[in-house]
Amino acid sequence: MRELLGKKKNIILVCTAVIAAVLSIVLPEILISYKTKSLENTSLDVPEEYYPTSSYYEVTKEFSEKLSEYQKRQLISGAWDSEISEVDKEYYEDMGYHVQENAKQQINDFYNQNFFPGSIESSYQQWYNWKCDYMQALDLNFRTYAGFFWKTSFTHYEDNETMTIYQMPDYRIIKMIYSSDKIKSHGNYTLRTNYSVDEGMRIAQMMIGQDFGVTSVKVGGEEGFAYVTEYMKMGRLTANLGSDKTDETDMDTSEVDGSLTVMVVTIQDLREETSNEEETYYLCIYQTDKEYSLELLPTE
């Protein structure tokens, strides 16, 4: 009798183990299937911080603040591999009106010094439409660092005349472009193709701002001329950057015609939080019968 009860007990234990093993395999799948079906057509609120688009700009900006002025300009110029794109308007850190007012003042300052063909006047039949875009040159290696900059364009309401200025976020000038059907001498500006070293120093100082000092300027020579010519063929910063249209005033990528002046400029950062190291730039002054531009370009 005891032997029979023992056999029944063993059979029950074996059956229980088999059932438990089967359930351990089947139940999870049933529960997952049930959970999946219960979530179909259901939307869940995800905290904003988990959206990549909401934090990507802040992360990039934080890392980019560790870069020097020179390194940011290297990203913008393409000396460091980078991709230029517009920044979403929700991340603009200044109002377009303030940006264009500063850009207009700088254009007029260069015009009054006979260093730029056009000015933004507020007089009868001298009205201009303006447009501001905040842009970034994002590095292609890590996609973490970026050079941020403003592009502001002024277009005459009637004539085919456009003035474009590229500025760092704190308004130091990267490049200025004047485009027209034909550049003419007018007002304070006279057509010219030659600039002295002293004039180059004045232009560079106006472009880089008071927090920096221009310590030396010299003629660029053949090496500098060749470097700038190849850079210009890339068409990196043009009047139409960021727009879909093309324009005959854009740089021809096959050759560089017109008058080109290249100077090597040594600039020192005078801000207290920096190491006050000196960096070298090319000051590029370019002119055709339809376009004129000034640019401070990193030499490496």
Side-chain angles (χ1 to χ4, degrees):
M1 186 70 176
R2 290 182 179 178
E3 184 178 351
L4 181 62
L5 290 175
K7 289 182 178 179
K8 289 183 178 180
K9 184 177 181 181
N10 289 337
I11 293 172
I12 293 172
L13 290 174
V14 170
C15 292
T16 302
V18 171
I19 294 171
V22 171
L23 289 177
S24 66
I25 296 173
V26 175
L27 275 180
E29 183 176 351
I30 295 174
L31 290 174
I32 292 173
S33 177
Y34 173 79
K35 188 66 175 178
T36 301
K37 290 181 179 179
S38 67
L39 290 175
E40 287 182 357
N41 301 320
T42 301
S43 61
L44 300 176
D45 293 329
V46 179
E48 183 179 348
E49 60 265 24
Y50 289 101
Y51 285 102
T53 54
S54 68
S55 60
Y56 189 72
Y57 172 78
E58 284 82 3
V59 172
T60 304
K61 183 175 182 295
E62 181 178 353
F63 276 95
S64 301
E65 287 176 350
K66 300 175 184 178
L67 300 177
S68 68
E69 172 85 7
Y70 195 75
Q71 290 170 331
K72 294 172 184 177
R73 289 177 179 251
Q74 285 178 307
L75 283 168
I76 295 169
S77 71
W80 286 3
D81 290 340
S82 65
E83 179 182 62
I84 293 178
S85 61
E86 293 185 29
V87 177
D88 291 341
K89 292 190 184 308
E90 63 180 296
Y91 300 123
Y92 280 24
E93 299 186 356
D94 202 345
M95 295 178 60
Y97 177 79
H98 294 156
V99 177
Q100 69 87 27
E101 280 292 301
N102 186 282
K104 180 167 63 176
Q105 183 60 55
Q106 289 184 323
I107 287 174
N108 290 341
D109 288 344
F110 275 81
Y111 172 76
N112 291 331
Q113 293 294 321
N114 197 28
F115 294 147
F116 199 70
S119 63
I120 312 297
E121 303 174 8
S122 298
S123 58
Y124 180 65
Q125 292 188 337
Q126 293 298 325
W127 303 305
Y128 292 84
N129 298 316
W130 59 269
K131 184 177 184 295
C132 289
D133 294 303
Y134 193 42
M135 314 192 81
Q136 66 174 7
L138 182 67
D139 82 277
L140 293 178
N141 293 320
F142 302 102
R143 305 193 75 85
T144 303
Y145 301 96
F148 297 97
F149 60 98
W150 287 101
K151 175 195 172 187
T152 307
S153 297
F154 299 90
T155 304
H156 194 277
Y157 84 105
E158 186 177 45
D159 297 334
N160 186 24
E161 180 188 41
T162 301
M163 284 167 268
T164 305
I165 181 170
Y166 289 94
Q167 301 166 288
M168 301 297 284
D170 44 12
Y171 301 130
R172 285 188 289 278
I173 299 172
I174 303 167
K175 184 172 185 177
M176 302 171 65
I177 307 170
Y178 178 92
S179 304
S180 182
D181 289 334
K182 185 172 180 61
I183 298 177
K184 303 176 182 178
S185 295
H186 60 85
N188 291 348
Y189 179 79
T190 55
L191 290 173
R192 55 191 306 188
T193 57
N194 297 317
Y195 290 83
S196 67
V197 170
D198 288 340
E199 288 175 320
M201 179 171 286
R202 289 167 55 197
I203 292 172
Q205 187 64 69
M206 291 176 68
M207 295 182 75
I208 200 64
Q210 296 180 352
D211 290 334
F212 293 74
V214 178
T215 58
S216 69
V217 178
K218 63 181 180 180
V219 177
E222 293 184 4
E223 182 180 352
F225 192 90
Y227 183 94
V228 172
T229 299
E230 288 302 312
Y231 166 77
M232 294 176 70
K233 289 179 181 179
M234 294 168 53
R236 184 73 173 179
L237 300 181
T238 68
N240 289 329
L241 176 66
S243 65
D244 295 330
K245 68 176 182 178
T246 58
D247 192 283
E248 61 180 0
T249 59
D250 276 352
M251 182 64 61
D252 185 350
T253 58
S254 62
E255 59 181 342
V256 176
D257 297 322
S259 169
L260 175 61
T261 299
V262 179
M263 299 182 189
V264 179
V265 181
T266 304
I267 295 176
Q268 185 177 31
D269 191 338
L270 303 177
R271 294 172 297 181
E272 293 182 358
E273 64 271 20
T274 65
S275 60
N276 295 329
E277 291 184 359
E278 292 186 336
E279 305 285 1
T280 56
Y281 294 81
Y282 288 123
L283 172 62
C284 318
I285 307 172
Y286 178 74
Q287 181 173 308
T288 68
D289 60 345
K290 293 183 179 181
E291 180 174 314
Y292 175 95
S293 66
L294 300 171
E295 184 169 7
L296 269 181
L297 176 68
T299 59
E300 56 184 46

